[in-house]
Structure formats: structure tokens, C-alpha cells
Amino acid sequence: MGLYLLDYGAGNVQSLANTLKKLGHDFQWISSPADFHKATSLIFPGVGAFGCAIDGLISRGLYEPLREYIASGKPYFGICIGMQVLFRSSLESPSSRGLGIIPSDIGVFSNVDKSVPHMGWNSVEFLDPEEKAHEGLDPASSYYFVHSFRAAYDWEHAEVAQWAHTTTQYGQEVFLATVRKGNVFACQFHPEKSGQAGLRVLDAWLRLSEKERAISLPTPRVARHPKPKDGFKKRIIACMDVRSNDDGDLVVTKGDQYDVRERTGRDGVQAQAAGAVRNLGKPVALAARYYEEGADELCLMNITSFRHSPLLDQPMLAVVRAAAETVYVPLTIGGGIKDTVDPDGTPHSALEVAGAYFRAGADKVSIATEAVFAVEKMRERPSADGLGEGDGTSAIETIAHVYGRQAVVVSVDPRRVYVDPDYDGPYKDELVFGKPDGPEKERGKAWWYQCTVRGGRENRPLSVVQLVKGVEKLGAGEILLNSIDRDGTGLGYDLDLVALVRRSVRIPVVASSGAGRKEHFVEVFQKTDVEAALAAGIFHRREVGIDEVKEALAAANINVRTA
């Protein structure tokens, strides 16, 4: 008897388990259909694609027992897919049948006026502000959403509207953030990834008596039209490049134009040969620090040799597990997310590698070199849109199919290729021209951006626009846009590059490389409208604080998370 968690076999459910342990709540896992009879409260932390969730429930014999459990009147808390499966169906997987408890269907966000997936922090708004049972929610707080499909708020149909508890607006669409009726409470956002605000939601529900959890009256129908501006927040991301130093310890390092070894001796003299790996701290300690300082998201990029056999890389998997135990915001892991073969000849698919990181506590995986090769291959298969066709076997496609496109980030490493201003080659439509009042070295010049692989060590015959459009079609949910030219310079983001990519895709874009001052963050959001900005070295060295960045953004009327 007691609290049970349902894991249908996909996604990061470990983070919820870590959260419940932190809050002091005991639980058990549903391991067989018979366990539903033992459960007196149930949390379904679903992550991934709707169809895969339904298939996972059916294949494990859990679909009908779950439906029967909810019908029994015992308390149910659904998270993300755990909320969406309550509906009849989803456009994400039209042939898959949901539980049908809520008589409506899940639709897809429009990307006409915004990027999709809806990835980041947003606010919620109560439909009945006088209702005292708010499950710990606060309209002044922000919660982490990551989804492409949503349940639109339909107040004209009473049988659907009575389930509505809070709504959220993204662009000009108003959708259900939480539903609540009888014994059911569910949220579209991830409370386990929403910092202290999310922990309060989980704790409030769990501290109710089981009788109180099972009794919620329908919410009155309230018309809610879109406001001129939504509550979506710009994200500040702290990134940690993790590799083994010369003593074999995993450390956080930072390169200058991708070179992570010291070039200056203790006497300040420039060294002729590469020195020791630059050590800026331990990854788990830094991750905990950045969480406490208000980072909206964290990235751990594995740049060690272990990434060639990531499932044997126990130190890196241990880092992810340990970080997930102390960090309650999204965690992206990169490095080695590809088809691999262990030294003993054992093959592992990229999907298997990603699954190992998800089970360790990651929320998203970042793919770099393999994404370039996948787009090169797809371009060999002609298509009407000129982008080519995927064959369903790339890491992007296989991971997105199981976990949803929101779980797949593509990290792009472009560099400038300077050409004559009258250049008439294959990339002429992507040319950027130096401004008359710009840096002197750029005046009168033109350039395009070439993709690289293997950490910038190898150029490929592919432009950045070709790459980002290609990976978007393959199923990537976000672009992490680096710049080899700006990396470690402190000169600010390459705004021409960021703006070019932002115009080229309809998925979220994270600006990276070059930040040296808090004003650079303000500049990149104001001039390019990207969804997020990432930095590493300036945070590691405490040259700029995350709180300083957010204060500067708020002063510039840029919406950021503060609670």
C-alpha cells in the first residue's frame, strides 16, 4: 500500500524519483499489473512520444490496469505525457488510442508565430482564483514546459472545460497547463524540472491526505482569450565541457576556439607547447552551484575519449546521476550519442546510448558530428523541398521517434569562410556582408558559415543553413548554435550567425560562444529573438554572475525567470 510511480519504459523518470526522495516521500515502482491494486496513490511521470507511451503501456500489460486504477477513484498525478494519455488521442500518433478519460484530443502548436516545441519556462493562470486547492501552484512562479503537442483550452464544451484547472499562453495559443477533477490531477509542465516552484507543487499534492487528493470539484467555465503577450521566458544556460585531465580525473574545462589546454605558463609567458588541461572545477559541484544561482538549464558536454564507448563510461554516467540528484532544472548531455561498438565488439545503437543517459537523469541529448553526417546522407536522397529525405536510421530520427523531438538537441559548430563580395557560388543566398560601421576587419568583406565535425577539427561541404534545415526535418527539437570564430573571445555572440539560423528554422535556437559581458545577453535577445543564450567560461571564472545577467535582462524588459 502507498505511493507508486509508473514507468512505461522511456524517458527520464529518475529525476522524479530523486525529487521525491529529496522531499522525504517514500514510493515504490509499478513492476506488474498487480501492483495497481497495492497503490493508494499513483504518479505517472510520462516523457516522450504519445504513441510510444501508449505502446509501452500496452506491451507491458499496464494500459487497462491504469484505466481501471483511475476509474476506481484513487488519487492520480500525471506529468506531461502522463497528462496527455488521459485524452482520447493525439495528432502526434493519430493511430494510438488514449485512455479517453477527458473527452477531447491533443493537437499541435502552430509554428507560424513562434518556435515549436514549446521549450522553456512559462507561467500559469488559474481559472478560478478563489479556489483554495491550488496544489502549490503560484501564478507569479515559472514552470518548465517541453512539448510540441497541447490540449487547447476549450471553454465552450462543458464536458472538457470542467477538467481545466490552469492555463498557459504560448504565442497566441491558450492551452491547459493543469487539469483537475475528482481523483485526477495532472500537469503539462515538469514539476521535477521546475526548480523550487515545481517541488512545491509535488510536495503540496503529496502532503494532502489521500482522501483530499481524491476529491476535486469541477472548475467553473471561464472564457479565456489570448493576451497581447504571453508569459514565456528567455533561458540562461550554463554549459560545462567535461573531460579527463592528465591525471585521469573528470574536470570541467573551457577552450579558446576549442583548445582546452593552457597556453600560458605560471610566469605569464606564452608557451610553445600545449600545457595541462584547463581545470575550472568538478562537474557535479559546478552544476549544483549554477542551479542555486538560478540557471534555467544545464549542459554537460562529454569531450573525453570515453565518448567512443559511452555505455562503458561509468565516470560520466555517474556524473549525470549525481548531478540529477541535486539539480531540479533540465539537464542536457552531449558527447558520444551515436551508434558505437565497444572494444569487445558489442554494438550499441544511438537510441540505446541516449536511453542510458535518460535513465541516469538527463532530459535531452545533444548530437553534433553525427548530425552533420546524417544531413549529408539525406541530401543524397532528392526531395521536393530540396532538403533530401531521411531513412529513419539516423540518431536524430530514432531518438525523436521514441522520446519525442523535444529530447533531441543538435549542436552546430560553424566557422566563417570569407569570399569576395561578388561571390556567385552555391552559398550566395546565405552570404553575410560586413557592415560599414562594423569591426574594421569585416568591412568590405563577405562570408558564409561552413559546418565542421569532430570538435571543429574537420570542415565539411555543408553550410550552417543546410545543416539546421536538415536536422529540423529529421526531427531535432532544438539547435545549440556555437561559433568557432567567437569561442572564448569575450567579444559577444556572432549576431549575424545567430540571426541567420533563427530565420532559417522554426524550432528553438540557443545562442552560444563569445559572451563576455552581461550586455551581450541583452544584445543577442534584442537583436535575434532566440529562445536561449548559453555561456561557460565567464560563469566558471565568476567574471559574470547568472543573477547579474538576469538583472540586466529584466532591466531591458526581457522576460526571465526569477521565481
Side-chain angles (χ1 to χ4, degrees):
M1 306 295 283
L3 175 64
Y4 275 73
L5 269 59
L6 174 59
D7 177 11
Y8 70 89
N12 173 15
V13 297
Q14 187 59 45
S15 289
L16 178 65
N18 293 338
T19 301
L20 296 180
K21 290 176 183 176
K22 175 181 173 61
L23 294 172
H25 299 288
D26 295 326
F27 63 89
Q28 299 181 68
W29 293 97
I30 293 283
S31 58
S32 72
D35 288 335
F36 283 98
H37 298 293
K38 304 174 187 176
T40 53
S41 289
L42 178 68
I43 301 180
F44 183 2
V47 180
F50 184 91
C52 288
I54 297 298
D55 291 345
L57 291 172
I58 293 173
S59 67
R60 289 167 173 78
L62 304 177
Y63 182 90
E64 287 300 334
L66 174 60
R67 186 203 295 272
E68 292 168 3
Y69 171 89
I70 296 174
S72 75
K74 292 188 287 187
Y76 173 86
F77 190 147
I79 297 173
C80 194
I81 289 295
M83 172 178 142
Q84 293 194 3
V85 297
L86 297 171
F87 290 75
R88 293 180 305 206
S89 67
S90 171
L91 281 178
E92 185 174 18
S93 309
S95 62
S96 297
R97 180 169 57 93
L99 296 174
I101 293 168
I102 300 177
S104 185
D105 305 297
I106 301 294
V108 64
F109 279 117
S110 166
N111 66 0
V112 172
D113 62 336
K114 59 188 177 297
S115 298
V116 177
H118 173 216
M119 186 180 293
W121 300 76
N122 211 330
S123 55
V124 302
E125 188 173 358
F126 290 108
L127 290 166
D128 182 10
E130 301 305 316
E131 172 59 56
K132 292 183 172 53
H134 281 169
E135 278 80 13
L137 287 161
D138 183 353
S141 294
S142 300
Y143 303 93
Y144 182 74
F145 293 82
V146 55
H147 58 123
S148 300
F149 297 83
R150 83 293 179 267
Y153 174 50
D154 182 3
W155 66 83
E156 295 182 344
H157 294 85
E159 68 276 16
V160 179
Q162 66 180 332
W163 285 90
H165 180 228
T166 67
T167 62
T168 291
Q169 181 177 331
Y170 183 45
Q172 289 299 294
E173 296 187 66
V174 177
F175 65 93
L176 296 178
T178 58
V179 296
R180 189 190 62 177
K181 181 186 173 186
N183 59 312
V184 172
F185 176 70
C187 54
Q188 180 60 68
F189 60 85
H190 286 270
E192 77 280 14
K193 290 295 174 180
S194 296
Q196 292 300 316
L199 269 59
R200 286 192 291 269
V201 174
L202 285 165
D203 198 43
W205 189 79
L206 289 167
R207 290 194 182 281
L208 293 172
S209 69
E210 291 191 327
K211 182 178 180 180
E212 290 174 312
R213 293 178 207 160
I215 302 174
S216 296
L217 298 175
T219 303
R221 292 165 62 186
V222 178
R224 178 151 294 164
H225 299 282
K227 300 176 181 178
K229 183 174 176 57
D230 63 17
F232 190 64
K233 314 297 191 296
K234 299 295 189 182
R235 284 175 286 150
I236 300 301
I237 301 174
C239 183
M240 289 152 282
D241 290 338
V242 181
R243 66 157 290 165
S244 56
N245 63 14
D246 297 325
D247 297 321
D249 298 323
L250 286 184
V251 299
V252 173
T253 188
K254 180 66 185 78
D256 293 327
Q257 295 182 308
Y258 291 31
D259 183 358
V260 300
R261 290 188 176 272
E262 298 286 4
R263 291 287 177 175
T264 305
R266 294 181 181 178
D267 56 2
V269 177
Q270 189 76 10
Q272 295 299 314
V277 171
R278 197 172 284 118
N279 183 351
L280 297 174
K282 294 294 186 179
V284 176
L286 274 180
R289 183 188 118 197
Y290 292 142
Y291 168 67
E292 294 296 334
E293 291 178 357
D296 298 310
E297 194 166 317
L298 300 174
C299 288
L300 287 169
M301 297 300 177
N302 181 5
I303 60 172
T304 73
S305 59
F306 293 115
R307 68 185 185 274
H308 299 300
S309 298
L311 295 186
L312 297 181
D313 186 4
Q314 295 304 317
M316 190 62 192
L317 286 169
V319 165
V320 176
R321 292 190 191 97
E325 290 177 357
T326 58
V327 168
Y328 303 99
V329 294
L331 184 61
T332 298
I333 305 299
I337 313 298
K338 60 182 180 179
D339 295 342
T340 61
V341 178
D342 287 342
D344 65 1
T346 304
H348 299 286
S349 68
L351 179 61
E352 186 181 356
V353 174
Y357 278 122
F358 290 140
R359 288 188 294 277
D363 301 285
K364 296 183 282 187
V365 292
S366 177
I367 302 170
T369 293
E370 298 307 306
V372 175
F373 294 150
V375 170
E376 289 180 350
K377 290 179 181 178
M378 76 179 286
R379 292 180 64 82
E380 296 173 358
R381 295 181 286 271
S383 65
D385 59 12
L387 299 177
E389 296 288 352
D391 61 5
T393 66
S394 71
I396 297 171
E397 294 166 285
T398 56
I399 297 169
H401 174 72
V402 173
Y403 296 101
R405 74 158 59 226
Q406 70 278 352
V408 182
V409 179
V410 168
S411 181
V412 183
D413 296 318
R415 63 161 44 98
R416 293 182 179 189
V417 176
Y418 287 92
V419 295
D420 293 332
D422 59 355
Y423 168 84
D424 193 36
Y427 310 110
K428 62 181 179 181
D429 294 334
E430 304 171 24
L431 284 189
V432 174
F433 296 91
K435 300 175 181 62
D437 59 347
E440 185 174 351
K441 66 177 182 179
E442 297 178 358
R443 296 174 192 171
K445 295 183 178 180
W447 61 90
W448 61 280
Y449 292 94
Q450 182 175 25
C451 290
T452 69
V453 296
R454 312 190 198 287
R457 295 188 297 275
E458 179 183 329
N459 298 329
R460 301 298 298 179
L462 195 70
S463 74
V464 70
V465 172
Q466 290 172 333
L467 177 62
V468 297
K469 284 180 174 289
V471 298
E472 179 181 35
K473 184 174 180 178
L474 287 174
E478 185 173 54
I479 300 295
L480 171 53
L481 182 59
N482 306 297
S483 167
I484 294 176
D485 303 287
R486 289 296 179 93
D487 183 60
T489 65
L491 297 175
Y493 299 98
D494 187 335
L495 300 179
D496 292 313
L497 170 62
V498 177
L500 175 66
V501 170
R502 175 64 286 167
R503 292 193 304 268
S504 300
V505 294
R506 300 307 306 155
I507 57 178
V509 176
V510 179
S512 176
S513 304
R517 297 181 286 114
K518 59 187 179 182
E519 291 82 7
H520 291 151
F521 294 85
V522 175
E523 182 181 50
V524 75
F525 286 130
Q526 288 181 333
K527 295 185 177 181
T528 71
D529 200 33
V530 287
E531 285 72 24
L534 175 150
I538 60 170
F539 293 155
H540 303 336
R541 296 185 291 265
R542 298 183 185 271
E543 295 168 359
V544 177
I546 293 172
D547 58 339
E548 295 177 74
V549 171
K550 291 196 171 184
E551 288 171 4
L553 292 171
N557 295 316
I558 296 170
N559 207 7
V560 291
R561 177 180 70 108
T562 56

